[in-house]
C-alpha cells in the first residue's frame, strides 16, 4: 500500500456534512422513551468514549454532530426491532445501505465490541440484542472483546479481563447469539485485526487523535494503539470478507470512533469517484455551480450541444453583480479553459492506487475516456458503475475497497436511582449476573415518575417520560410486545396505574427475566468448548 495521506473521500465528506434538524423527530408518541426531552438548560454535549457521557439533549447530536434521526429511515427497515420502533435506537450514520442490503438479501455485516471492565448489565443487553437481531436478519455478525483497550485505557489486569470477557460472552450467547453463524474474537488474539490496525494507523496522525479525543503529550502510546485497534475492529468484517455494508451498533459516546473509522476507511481507497464538467479540478461547491451553469446552457451557448467554458463564465458573471468568492473562482477556471466544451463526465481520481492498479483501471473502462496524470474522465459510465469498477480493480490489486462503516445509536438508560446508570453504582443498574431476587429488589427501590400521593397520581397521571421504571418496560421488560409497552404508558399517564403495583409487576418481570437468562448462561457454561474464542489470555 502506498502511504500518501489523503483527505477523506468526497463520499464520506459529503455524508458527514449532512446535518438534520430534528424538528420532525417523533417516535410513536406512546412508545417514546423520553417524551422528546427538550431540556435547553444543559451543558455542552461532548462525546467522549472514555468519559462519563450523559447525553442531556439528544437533539444536539443531530444538529452538532450530524447524526441522522433513526426515525427517518425506520420505514426502510423491513422488520424493525422493538428498540427501533420505540425510539430507543434514535440515530444512525449511513444505515441506509445496510437496510437496503437486508431488504434485497444481499450481504451485510454488524459488529460491536465490549470492554471487559465489569459485569455485563442491562445497558449492554441493548447492544447484544442489536447484534443478535442483525444476525437473525441474515447478517454476518461479529462481537469482540476489547481487551487491549480495557488493559491500556482502563488498567485492567489480564486476569480480571478473562473473568469479565467470559461473562460477556455467556450473556451474549444466552440472549441468542449463534456462534456458528457469527464470529467472536478478542482483540489481543486476533492477528488480522492487529495487522489491519497497523495499516490504518498509517492514515492517522497524532494531531488528529489530539483533536478528536483530547489526547496530549501525557497520553500513553498503548491507549493510542487501542484507538487504531478499534478502527481495525470496525473495518474488520469487510477486510476478512468482501466489502459490504456494515453497521456498528453502539452508544453515542462511541461516535468519535465511528467518524474516524469512516475517514480512515475512505483514506485507504485507491480511487475517488466524482462528477466533473470540464478537465479542471473542482471542489463540491464549485461543482454545483457548474451543474447549474450546465443546466442553463440553452440560454447562452451558441451551440447548446456544445456549450463552451468561456460562454458559461460569461453567463455566471451576468447572473449577479456581486459574485461570491467561489463563483469568482469558477469563472476564473472556466475562462482559463476557454473554448473547451462544458460536458458532464464521471471522474475517477487516483488517490492511493499502485501504478499497476491505475493502468488496469484505464484498460477496464469501456467507452469514451480521457486519461490524465492523476485522474481519468469517463463519458459513458454513470457514477455507480464507475465506483464499482474502481472498487473491483482495487480489490484485484490488493486494496480493501472499504465501504464507509455505518452506525446506529441507542439511548443510554437512566439509572434506577434517578441519575446516570453507572457500573460503579450497583443500585443504579441491574447486572445480568444479579441474583434474580436482588434484581427485583432494585426495581422496587427504583425512582419513579410518580406523584407525591396516590390521589394526585390518579388526578394528574404519572410522568412515564421521566420514569426509570417505564424505561425498564420499554427497553427490556415488554420485550417485543408493543401493545403491552403502550398499555403501561397510557395507564400511567392517565392515572390508572399507581407506582406501587407498577413496580411490583416490573420487579416480577425482572426476576423472571434474570432467572431465565441465568439458566441459559448456565447451559452455555457447559458448551463453551464449542465456541471459537480463547477465554484464557495467553498474556499475563
Ligand atoms: N470502545 C468500545 C467501548 O468502550 C469497545 C470497542 C472496541 C468497540 N472496539 C469496538 C465498539 C468496535 C464498537 C466497535 O465499549
Ligand atoms: Fe413509573 Fe409506573 Fe409510576 Fe408510571 S406508574 S410513574 S411508569 S412507576
Amino acid at each position: 500500500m502506498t502511504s500518501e495521506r489523503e483527505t477523506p473521500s468526497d463520499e464520506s465528506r459529503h455524508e458527514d456534512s449532512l446535518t438534520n434538524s430534528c424538528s420532525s423527530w417523533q417516535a410513536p408518541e406512546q412508545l417514546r422513551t423520553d417524551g422528546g426531552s427538550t431540556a435547553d438548560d444543559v451543558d455542552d454535549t461532548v462525546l467522549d468514549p472514555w468519559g462519563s457521557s450523559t447525553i442531556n439533549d439528544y437533539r444536539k447530536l443531530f444538529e452538532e454532530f450530524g447524526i441522522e434521526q433513526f426515525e427517518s429511515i425506520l420505514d426502510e427497515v423491513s422488520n424493525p426491532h422493538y428498540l427501533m420502533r420505540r425510539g430507543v435506537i434514535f440515530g444512525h450514520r449511513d444505515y441506509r445501505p445496510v437496510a437496503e442490503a437486508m431488504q434485497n438479501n444481499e450481504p451485510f455485516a454488524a459488529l460491536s465490541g465490549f470492554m471487559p471492565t465489569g459485569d455485563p448489565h442491562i445497558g449492554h443487553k441493548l447492544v447484544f440484542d442489536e447484534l443478535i437481531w442483525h444476525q437473525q436478519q441474515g447478517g454476518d455478525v461479529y462481537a469482540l472483546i476489547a481487551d487491549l483497550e480495557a488493559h491500556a485505557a482502563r488498567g485492567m489486569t489480564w486476569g480480571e479481563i478473562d473473568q469479565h470477557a467470559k461473562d460477556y460472552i455467556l450473556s451474549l450467547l444466552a440472549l441468542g447469539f449463534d456462534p456458528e453463524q457469527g464470529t467472536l474474537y478478542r482483540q489481543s488474539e486476533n492477528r488480522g485485526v492487529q495487522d489491519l490496525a497497523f495499516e490504518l494507523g498509517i492514515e492517522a496522525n497524532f494531531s488528529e487523535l489530539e483533536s478528536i479525543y483530547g489526547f496530549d503529550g501525557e497520553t500513553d502510546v498503548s491507549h493510542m494503539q487501542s484507538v487504531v485497534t478499534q478502527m481495525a475492529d470496525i473495518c474488520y468484517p469487510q477486510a476478512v470478507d468482501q466489502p459490504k455494508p456494515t453497521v456498528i451498533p453502539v452508544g453515542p459516546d462511541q461516535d468519535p470512533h465511528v467518524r474516524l473509522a469512516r475517514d480512515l476507511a475512505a483514506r485507504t481507497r485507491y480511487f475517488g469517484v466524482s462528477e466533473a464538467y470540464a478537465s479542471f479540478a473542482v471542489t463540491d461547491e464549485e461543482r454545483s455551480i457548474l451543474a447549474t451553469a450546465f443546466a442553463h446552457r440553452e440560454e447562452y451557448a451558441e451551440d447548446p450541444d456544445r456549450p463552451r467554458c468561456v460562454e458559461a463564465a460569461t453567463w455566471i458573471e451576468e447572473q449577479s453583480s456581486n459574485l461570491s468568492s467561489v463563483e469568482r473562482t469558477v469563472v476564473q477556471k472556466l475562462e482559463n479553459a476557454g473554448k473547451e466544451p462544458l460536458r458532464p463526465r464521471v471522474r475517477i481520481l487516483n488517490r492511493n492506487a499502485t501504478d499497476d492498479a491505475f493502468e488496469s483501471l484505464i484498460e477496464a473502462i469501456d467507452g469514451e475516456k480521457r486519461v490524465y496524470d492523476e485522474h481519468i474522465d469517463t463519458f459513458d459510465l454513470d457514477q455507480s458503475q464507475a465506483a464499482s469498477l474502481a472498487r473491483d480493480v482495487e480489490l484485484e490489486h490488493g486494496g480493501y475497497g472499504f465501504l464507509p462503516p455505518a452506525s446506529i445509536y441507542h439511548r443510554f438508560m437512566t439509572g434506577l436511582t434517578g441519575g446516570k446508570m453507572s457500573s460503579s453504582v450497583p443500585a443504579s443498574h441491574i447486572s445480568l449476573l444479579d441474583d434474580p431476587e436482588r434484581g427485583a429488589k432494585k426495581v422496587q427501590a427504583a425512582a419513579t415518575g410518580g406523584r407525591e400521593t396516590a390521589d394526585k397520581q390518579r388526578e394528574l397521571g404519572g410522568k412515564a417520560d421521566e420514569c426509570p421504571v417505564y424505561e425498564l418496560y420499554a427497553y427490556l421488560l415488554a420485550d417485543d410486545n408493543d401493545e403491552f409497552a403502550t398499555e403501561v404508558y397510557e395507564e400511567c399517564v392517565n392515572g390508572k396505574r399507581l407506582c406501587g403495583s407498577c413496580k411490583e409487576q416490573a420487579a416480577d418481570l425482572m426476576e423472571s427475566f434474570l432467572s431465565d437468562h441465568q439458566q441459559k448462561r448456565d447451559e452455555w457454561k457447559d458448551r463453551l468448548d464449542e465456541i471459537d474464542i480463547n477465554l484464557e489470555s495467553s498474556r499475563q
Side-chain angles (χ1 to χ4, degrees), residues 25 183 212 295 321:
W25 138 252
T183 305
I212 298 174
S321 54

Side-chain angles (χ1 to χ4, degrees), residues 159-368:
E160 291 165 326
I161 286 173
D162 281 355
Q163 180 52 50
H164 297 315
K166 189 166 157 190
D167 280 329
Y168 278 86
I169 302 275
L170 282 171
S171 280
L172 177 65
L173 294 165
L175 289 166
F177 184 82
D178 177 352
E180 306 248 311
Q181 295 299 316
T183 305
L184 299 169
Y185 71 84
R186 49 196 296 169
Q187 290 176 327
S188 66
E189 307 265 332
N190 189 328
R191 178 62 201 256
V193 162
Q194 291 168 31
D195 289 351
L196 182 54
F198 189 85
E199 296 294 334
L200 292 171
I202 293 172
E203 307 292 340
N205 65 28
F206 178 69
S207 317
E208 199 168 17
L209 301 192
E210 191 179 26
S211 75
I212 298 174
Y213 302 109
F215 287 177
D216 60 23
E218 302 300 307
T219 307
D220 65 76
V221 175
S222 297
H223 191 169
M224 294 189 238
Q225 193 181 332
S226 78
V227 170
V228 290
T229 307
Q230 179 157 353
M231 298 303 106
D233 291 331
I234 292 174
C235 296
Y236 186 64
Q238 303 193 68
V240 280
D241 193 23
Q242 51 176 337
K244 57 186 153 193
T246 299
V247 60
I248 314 298
V250 277
D253 61 314
Q254 299 292 305
D255 184 57
H257 288 310
V258 171
R259 271 181 285 160
L260 179 59
R262 288 169 62 79
D263 279 351
L264 298 188
R267 287 177 206 165
T268 65
R269 295 301 309 277
Y270 281 18
F271 305 107
V273 175
S274 61
E275 278 177 27
Y277 287 87
S279 58
F280 52 83
V282 285
T283 64
D284 289 349
E285 262 181 299
E286 292 165 9
R287 184 180 309 111
S288 75
I289 297 170
L290 289 176
T292 312
F294 182 76
H296 288 82
R297 61 192 179 280
E298 300 275 351
E299 292 172 29
Y300 57 79
E302 204 176 295
D303 173 3
D305 289 335
R306 245 179 123 69
R308 308 279 176 179
C309 286
V310 273
E311 294 174 318
T314 316
W315 180 80
I316 294 172
E317 278 185 307
E318 283 164 9
Q319 299 312 300
S320 143
S321 54
N322 194 6
L323 294 187
S324 71
S325 73
V326 199
E327 285 164 338
R328 263 180 289 156
T329 314
V330 173
V331 167
Q332 191 62 59
K333 288 183 178 179
L334 286 166
E335 278 170 358
N336 293 345
K339 292 213 158 132
E340 186 190 328
L342 192 63
R343 185 178 169 203
R345 64 200 69 197
V346 171
R347 173 160 300 163
I348 308 180
L349 278 161
N350 181 355
R351 293 183 186 280
N352 276 314
T354 56
D355 293 347
D356 280 354
F358 193 56
E359 289 306 317
S360 303
L361 180 63
I362 296 169
E363 268 172 48
I365 293 169
D366 283 335
E368 191 184 341

Side-chain angles (χ1 to χ4, degrees), residues 447-450 457 462-464 467-470 473 488 492-493 497-500 502-503:
T448 72
Q457 176 114 344
K463 292 183 266 185
C467 178
V469 179
Y470 176 67
Y473 282 103
V488 172
C492 170
V493 299
R497 191 173 259 266
L498 297 184
C499 296
C502 181
K503 288 208 279 188

Side-chain angles (χ1 to χ4, degrees), residues 79-83 85-86 133 473-485:
N79 174 26
H81 190 270
Y82 70 81
L83 293 171
R85 304 197 299 265
R86 292 177 202 163
W133 178 82
Y473 282 103
Y475 286 52
L476 187 156
L477 301 173
D479 202 58
D480 203 35
N481 189 343
D482 284 352
E483 251 172 73
F484 177 49

Side-chain angles (χ1 to χ4, degrees), residues 139-158:
D140 182 17
V141 176
Y142 297 73
L144 68 103
I145 299 296
D147 56 356
L148 291 178
E149 184 182 359
H151 191 56
R154 287 283 160 80
M156 307 294 289
T157 67
W158 291 104

